[in-house]
Amino acid sequence: MDVSDEDLALAAAGGDATAFELLLGRVYDRLFALCFRLTGAQAEAEDLTQDICLALPAKLAGYRGDAKITTWLYRVAMNAATDRRRRAASYARATDGWADVEIDRQKGAVEAAEGTEWLYRAMAGLSPSLRDTLALVLDDVTHAEAAEILGTTEGTISWRVAEAKKKLREMRVLEEEGQ
């Protein structure tokens, strides 16, 4: 017995899984070929065809048999391709410029890491009292707390921090002149 595509579609719309499977077997290659022509890329065509096949059981409920199933199915494919293009365009507009933001963020992170690395290397060239004081202050210890920890006065801590900054600036200038 030879059943038409339209009869299979109507049976599939009524919930007949076997009819749906037979119909899909008959139209899948043509559907994929159309999707390939619409997208121009195999992977995109495969994704679009898969999306259509997944939505097809629900969409078949609206098929009334007025048109050939291939005509109706091509309309479904055209709508799906249009929707996919709209989503891609919306996504592109929404993400436009984010690449620049991410590149700037990564560049800033690299520069910060390089600055921190330089600071730790440069601190090794400071006297132990300046290095210890600066290490505490960089760890968010207050001058009063640093004075208590190091057994000195808060004024001495402030002087050491200023002296350490001065020496670090001198080191930076010497390095830049040497390059």
Side-chain angles (χ1 to χ4, degrees):
M1 170 164 78
D2 196 23
V3 180
S4 71
D5 292 346
E6 289 71 28
D7 288 339
L8 286 174
L10 290 170
D16 186 338
T18 304
F20 180 77
E21 184 180 342
L22 287 170
L23 176 65
L24 202 53
R26 288 183 184 180
V27 299
Y28 185 86
D29 289 340
R30 285 185 282 175
L31 178 61
F32 175 78
L34 174 64
C35 290
F36 185 78
R37 287 189 301 277
L38 291 172
T39 62
Q42 182 174 346
E44 276 292 310
E46 289 169 350
D47 289 347
L48 181 57
T49 305
Q50 188 70 24
D51 290 347
I52 293 167
C53 289
L54 289 171
L56 200 53
K59 292 203 178 286
L60 275 171
Y63 178 69
R64 295 182 310 278
D66 298 339
K68 286 178 56 176
I69 188 63
T70 52
T71 304
W72 179 86
L73 189 56
Y74 278 16
R75 179 79 267 161
V76 169
M78 295 298 290
N79 290 340
T82 301
D83 289 347
R84 181 179 278 263
R85 282 192 293 269
R86 283 186 189 139
R87 280 192 307 274
S90 293
Y91 179 79
R93 282 191 305 275
T95 59
D96 186 36
W98 280 106
D100 295 336
V101 170
E102 180 60 15
I103 288 168
D104 289 344
R105 185 194 68 76
Q106 288 179 4
K107 183 179 175 186
V110 167
E111 288 171 357
E114 289 171 352
T116 301
E117 184 181 315
W118 178 87
L119 178 61
Y120 291 155
R121 278 194 330 265
M123 283 175 62
L126 297 175
S127 68
S129 63
L130 293 181
R131 183 176 54 246
D132 294 348
T133 302
L134 193 56
L136 287 171
V137 171
L138 289 173
D139 204 31
D140 292 329
V141 173
T142 66
H143 287 207
E145 292 168 333
E148 186 179 327
I149 292 167
L150 295 173
T152 189
T153 67
E154 193 173 335
T156 300
I157 296 298
S158 296
W159 176 86
R160 287 179 181 174
V161 169
E163 189 67 17
K165 286 180 180 180
K166 182 175 115 183
K167 291 198 180 294
L168 290 172
R169 273 192 299 274
E170 290 170 359
M171 287 180 199
R172 176 68 86 179
V173 168
L174 289 173
E175 280 185 20
E176 288 174 356
E177 287 175 356
Q179 290 181 358

